[in-house]
Amino acid sequence: KSSAASDVYKRQGGVFSNGNITAETIVQKGDSVSSPDEPTLEGCTFIGWTSIVDNEETLWNFDDSLTSDLKLYALWEENFIFTEVEGGYSVSVKNIPEDGKVEIPGTYKEKPVIAIAENGFFGFSSLTSIVIPDSVTNIGSRVFEGCSSLENMTLPNMSLYLGYYFGASSYSYNSEYVP
């Protein structure tokens, strides 16, 4: 009979749905391992589980048999690109989570996020919902152009000509974009 092999999952900064920060399973050598629930990490999208083999990071194939102890690590992709500007940071999107919902953080590296960059979400048709923090005082032009699935938006307390930011070519065309 085969001896047991340990399979340890480390969330690399995320958390599992049960609140734990690690998960461990024991399986018989030669058996395949089931993937645990996906962890979550604010501002990031979970890509998959990775192992380090011969000093190279590779995604783990859960159809493979476990032949020895193995540690798998969560692989993340950041959802935002932050650019330092006077007074804080400007943000644009790099990746939209699978559920289409985005919440822009109010701070980054202990400085406020004060702007959404021009074309910051341009063409991300999978965006369905966005929360913009009160720290944002500047929204660049054409930010949400091409975001055809966007249905819900929480805006900070500010006065803006919103149509221009949804794809109008000038402020005079706002009525085409904002009822």
Side-chain angles (χ1 to χ4, degrees):
K1 192 170 185 175
S2 299
S3 61
S6 174
D7 183 30
V8 178
Y9 303 92
K10 300 210 179 246
R11 84 303 184 228
Q12 296 295 89
V15 65
F16 291 102
S17 60
N18 63 5
N20 291 342
I21 57 173
T22 62
E24 183 172 359
T25 58
I26 307 293
V27 297
Q28 295 299 316
K29 283 188 180 181
D31 288 349
S32 60
V33 179
S34 297
S35 177
D37 292 339
E38 292 182 3
T40 57
L41 180 61
E42 187 174 338
C44 294
T45 296
F46 176 73
I47 302 300
W49 293 104
T50 184
S51 63
I52 298 173
V53 178
D54 297 328
N55 293 323
E56 198 170 308
E57 196 173 86
T58 57
L59 285 177
W60 178 255
N61 179 350
F62 284 94
D63 292 330
D64 289 349
S65 298
L66 193 62
T67 58
S68 63
D69 287 356
L70 173 70
K71 286 187 180 180
L72 295 175
Y73 300 90
L75 183 61
W76 303 101
E77 182 175 22
E78 291 186 18
N79 293 338
F80 303 107
I81 299 169
F82 294 95
T83 304
E84 195 162 7
V85 295
E86 185 176 331
Y89 282 93
S90 174
V91 65
S92 59
V93 72
K94 180 177 179 182
N95 187 46
I96 300 290
E98 209 171 281
D99 66 3
K101 298 176 182 178
V102 169
E103 184 169 347
I104 297 173
T107 59
Y108 178 72
K109 293 187 177 180
E110 299 181 13
K111 291 185 178 181
V113 175
I114 59 169
I116 300 176
E118 182 175 330
N119 299 317
F121 287 77
F122 182 90
F124 280 91
S125 61
S126 62
L127 178 66
T128 60
S129 175
I130 187 164
V131 176
I132 301 173
D134 287 338
S135 62
V136 171
T137 57
N138 183 344
I139 297 179
S141 63
R142 305 178 91 85
V143 167
F144 300 107
E145 185 173 351
C147 297
S148 56
S149 299
L150 184 58
E151 296 177 354
N152 298 302
M153 178 179 283
T154 302
L155 292 168
N157 295 323
M158 56 192 290
S159 296
L160 294 174
Y161 292 95
L162 294 177
Y164 188 61
Y165 304 107
F166 284 90
S169 58
S170 72
Y171 292 120
S172 64
Y173 293 106
N174 283 334
S175 62
E176 292 181 32
Y177 295 90
V178 180

